[in-house]
Amino acid sequence: ATNNNNNNNNNNEGGSESFLVGAAVVAEDSQESMIIQTLSEVASLVVASLEPISQSQDEDGEKHKGHVALPIMSDSLLLDSVGATGGTSSDLGATLAGLMHHSPVLRHQHVANALCRVATPQAPDLIARMAANCPTISPCLVRGCLDAYQSACAVSTTNSQVHNHPILSTATTAVRAVAHLSTRESARIV
């Protein structure tokens, strides 16, 4: 009977070990999935931001620039990352900073431009986190924010300026967030 109890205890320990290993694999798969989804979303936003702003014609035949805002999917990680404190999820901020470090094909200026043009509430925080992780890229991030701001201001019709207001606000907030990182960054931006 003692051997059976020992065997049962060994089986239970083996079961809990396999459960922990299974949980670790699931967590690893979840992190890998988040990284892949973030890279995919950021890359598609950058590609969309590099395309020229479409022009439309009204009834009089006048050409007007279209909306500068970039569309975002409703299940986007960029929309789900607002934490209880109002800041971004630390996982998304760290993931984005890491992706930018290891993806030289993505330029910081273009990513900042795309994030500002998406105009999610957490975009300024994401841009500030990228600047905090690598202070030397701050000028590139500010340049991207300014490009988005200028694109939104360049829209000629008053109707589309109303739609582009979140872009102006996001770009302004992002530049201020980068400037508040340190007195050196503030001096560079001013």
Side-chain angles (χ1 to χ4, degrees):
T2 311
N3 278 343
N4 286 341
N5 286 339
N6 287 339
N7 286 340
N8 286 339
N9 288 341
N10 288 339
N11 286 341
N12 288 339
E13 287 175 11
S16 63
E17 285 178 19
S18 66
F19 174 75
L20 293 176
V21 169
V25 169
V26 169
E28 200 172 292
D29 288 347
S30 174
Q31 289 174 340
E32 186 177 330
S33 173
M34 185 179 106
I35 291 169
I36 291 169
Q37 185 177 357
T38 303
L39 179 61
S40 174
E41 286 183 30
V42 169
S44 64
L45 286 174
V46 167
V47 168
S49 74
L50 293 174
E51 293 177 0
I53 298 170
S54 63
Q55 293 190 352
S56 60
Q57 281 188 329
D58 60 8
E59 304 88 44
D60 301 333
E62 272 189 56
K63 289 186 177 182
H64 297 282
K65 288 189 177 184
H67 297 295
V68 179
L70 296 176
I72 190 166
M73 303 297 285
S74 61
D75 63 344
S76 171
L77 286 175
L78 297 173
L79 293 174
D80 293 339
S81 65
V82 176
T85 61
T88 60
S89 162
S90 62
D91 286 347
L92 182 61
T95 300
L96 190 55
L99 283 174
M100 294 305 299
H101 182 72
H102 295 289
S103 302
V105 72
L106 294 173
R107 291 187 159 184
H108 291 89
Q109 177 180 352
H110 298 153
V111 172
N113 183 321
L115 288 172
C116 287
R117 288 177 56 189
V118 168
T120 60
Q122 56 275 18
D125 189 43
L126 289 171
I127 292 169
R129 294 227 23 199
M130 286 190 293
N133 281 302
C134 185
T136 59
I137 64 164
S138 295
C140 296
L141 294 170
V142 169
R143 195 173 318 122
C145 294
L146 292 176
D147 288 346
Y149 188 93
Q150 288 174 338
S151 297
C153 287
V155 177
S156 62
T157 65
T158 58
N159 185 26
S160 50
Q161 284 178 350
V162 170
H163 293 294
N164 292 328
H165 177 68
I167 297 170
L168 301 175
S169 176
T170 301
T172 303
T173 306
V175 169
R176 285 185 182 146
V178 172
H180 287 302
L181 290 175
S182 71
T183 54
R184 173 185 268 170
E185 295 308 320
S186 182
R188 282 186 190 175
I189 292 170
V190 176

